[in-house]
Amino acid sequence: MIWWGAAAVCAFFVKGLCGFANTLVFTTILSFAVDNASISPVELLLGYPSNLILLWRERRSIRWKLCLPLAALVAAGSVPGILFLKNADAGVTKVIFGTVIVLLGLEMLLREYRPKNIRQSQAVLAAVGVLSGLLCGLYGVGALLGAYLSRVTEDSASFKANICVVFLVENTLRIFLYALWGILTVDILKRAALLIPCMLAGLGLGMLSGRVLDEKLVRKCVTVMLTLSGAALILNSL
């Protein structure tokens, strides 16, 4: 349980600082010893209140015309992802997750050195929405969503507000389906409840640190560590 607590503090420190990537951190830390089917529902229950807190803090920066269509696409894509999570082999899931981490980590790192803003495209929006939904349903990972929103929002406050709206819609659907399909169990609910203080501590530290630390430098460090961890997870699972 100590390892779970440490993972929660680290993951939600990153959430408070950057607005996303908490699932990547949490799942990467725990995937070496725990199956994704046990990790994802716990992280979901911890992430829901953290999204509410950040959304309330940045509520003035919400762009409804951007986040609501994206939320609907993500919700639609999450259903097959959840079904795969319920039925997939644990070893195969870890290899896929490790590959996803490496690819997203490289994309996130390269993104820091490219121009930030791009024109919104309906085709890109649809593709990102559905693929993000698949990743969210399977792993709870919103990094692809973060990659897109970072390019079409003006600043950190706008990014955090809009990504949290999408996460809340997707999280609500995923909680319902996890419960309906038996992925949420009493043991998972108990574990999540015990980890709430760790989540709040990490989130609070991340939000406070955002006033002092260079957010771009922190994102680069987190991205490098995630990419290396993803590669190690693939090798460990083969």
Side-chain angles (χ1 to χ4, degrees), residues 34-42 85-86 93 138 178 183 188:
V34 184
D35 292 340
N36 285 83
S38 299
I39 300 170
S40 291
V42 172
L85 174 69
K86 181 176 173 62
T93 304
L138 184 52
Y178 277 12
I183 297 174
I188 284 172

Side-chain angles (χ1 to χ4, degrees), residues 149-204:
L149 282 174
S150 70
R151 290 180 168 86
V152 295
T153 51
E154 298 78 18
D155 51 37
S156 177
S158 178
F159 172 81
K160 290 178 182 178
N162 288 284
I163 200 170
C164 284
V165 170
V166 178
F167 282 154
L168 279 173
V169 173
E170 187 276 337
N171 285 179
T172 301
L173 173 65
R174 195 146 51 99
I175 287 173
F176 172 75
L177 292 179
Y178 277 12
L180 181 66
W181 293 335
I183 297 174
L184 281 180
T185 64
V186 174
D187 287 341
I188 284 172
L189 292 173
K190 289 179 179 178
R191 176 162 287 164
L194 290 173
L195 291 172
I196 286 176
C198 298
M199 178 275 289
L200 292 174
L203 186 70

Side-chain angles (χ1 to χ4, degrees), residues 15 19-21 24 51 66-75 100 104 107-108 111 124-136 140-153 159-171:
K15 174 76 169 180
F20 78 114
L24 278 174
N51 285 313
L66 169 64
C67 61
L68 288 183
L70 192 54
L73 289 165
V74 170
V100 169
L104 289 177
E107 195 282 336
M108 290 163 67
R111 189 197 327 155
V124 172
L125 177 69
V128 169
V130 174
L131 289 174
S132 295
L134 287 169
L135 290 176
C136 285
V141 171
L144 181 60
L145 180 64
Y148 176 75
L149 282 174
S150 70
R151 290 180 168 86
V152 295
T153 51
F159 172 81
K160 290 178 182 178
N162 288 284
I163 200 170
C164 284
V165 170
V166 178
F167 282 154
L168 279 173
V169 173
E170 187 276 337
N171 285 179

Side-chain angles (χ1 to χ4, degrees), residues 82-112:
I82 295 170
L83 288 171
F84 187 79
L85 174 69
K86 181 176 173 62
N87 299 295
D89 176 81
V92 173
T93 304
K94 288 186 178 183
V95 172
I96 296 174
F97 181 68
T99 304
V100 169
I101 292 174
V102 172
L103 294 176
L104 289 177
L106 292 173
E107 195 282 336
M108 290 163 67
L109 189 61
L110 291 172
R111 189 197 327 155
E112 298 294 333

